[in-house]
Amino acid sequence: MRPHRLRSTLITALMLATATVSATTSATAHTSTAPASATAASSLGALTELFAERLLLADKVAAAKYGTESPIDDPARERQILDDVAARAAGLGLDPDSVTAVFRDQIEANKLVQRGLYARWDAHPDERPTERPDLAKEVRPALDLITTRLLAALQETAPVRADASCEPRLYAAATLSAYGHRLDVLHLRGLGRALPSVCGTD
């Protein structure tokens, strides 16, 4: 998709999401105020920004693994991450199962992007990465930092995520993050895969 067409698609999606949010806000005006609505959207934006940042790191993960014996799927590493966030979630007063579901979605979104990049590089060898990032020293520490920030953001947004208006606000925030990070179609698909478990009760 050409850049201007992608930008137009994102703007259209944002307009639709904003219209949905406005309708939801109007329908619940007796229980919420405009300032509270703006705060809710802003706090969810902190989450979608981290989702986008994590997805962009998938490029480095793919570049580190492509052409090696390291598989995209790494069940042992994934289990280690999920067990870690579950334990840390409990310490933050969050439901471990809900937090695990969110992080499982992040892992699947990351793998979606990696597979897409592998397919692109197989089809277009001239687009293959020319450098191999260090997975252990460069990429995973960056992912671990995002994990810590995500846990803090999940704790902060717990009331918003439990609200009935969470989903439209989440997709509006995700559209803004996608536009701000200039995500291409592959990474847009990844961002969509990262969202399903965000809204709900912790």
Side-chain angles (χ1 to χ4, degrees):
M1 184 180 291
R2 293 180 180 177
H4 72 277
R5 290 184 61 193
L6 174 58
R7 199 168 293 115
S8 296
T9 300
L10 289 172
I11 292 171
T12 300
L14 176 58
M15 290 173 64
L16 290 172
T18 301
T20 304
V21 171
S22 297
T24 303
T25 303
S26 297
T28 59
H30 63 288
T31 59
S32 62
T33 64
S37 299
T39 300
S42 175
S43 60
L44 289 172
L47 275 177
T48 58
E49 282 293 301
L50 290 169
F51 293 164
E53 289 177 23
R54 197 179 194 283
L55 276 176
L56 291 171
L57 280 173
D59 295 40
K60 289 190 173 183
V61 176
K65 292 182 176 182
Y66 187 75
T68 73
E69 296 182 356
S70 298
I72 289 176
D73 290 279
D74 187 350
R77 169 70 178 171
E78 293 169 22
R79 187 70 261 162
Q80 180 183 13
I81 293 171
L82 295 177
D83 287 347
D84 175 61
V85 297
R88 292 166 69 181
L92 293 171
L94 298 171
D95 175 50
D97 291 337
S98 297
V99 171
T100 298
V102 172
F103 276 89
R104 185 177 292 111
D105 283 345
Q106 307 317 302
I107 291 171
E108 293 303 320
N110 193 288
K111 292 192 293 184
L112 184 156
V113 171
Q114 289 182 58
R115 293 188 185 102
L117 291 172
Y118 273 33
R120 182 184 300 170
W121 296 337
D122 286 344
H124 304 282
D126 58 305
E127 296 183 15
R128 292 174 182 174
T130 57
E131 297 182 359
R132 191 181 303 282
D134 190 312
L135 195 59
K137 294 181 180 180
E138 178 184 354
V139 184
R140 284 181 176 166
L143 288 170
D144 290 343
L145 178 59
I146 289 178
T147 292
T148 298
R149 293 167 62 197
L150 269 175
L151 284 166
L154 288 170
Q155 183 184 34
E156 180 183 344
T157 58
V160 180
R161 291 184 295 105
D163 191 86
S165 67
C166 173
E167 188 168 305
R169 297 186 193 286
L170 176 67
Y171 280 87
T175 304
L176 284 173
S177 294
Y179 183 79
H181 287 278
R182 300 179 181 274
L183 300 187
D184 61 13
V185 173
L186 175 60
H187 291 80
L188 281 173
R189 288 176 54 215
L191 186 58
R193 181 62 186 86
L195 301 178
S197 299
V198 172
C199 297
T201 304
D202 282 317

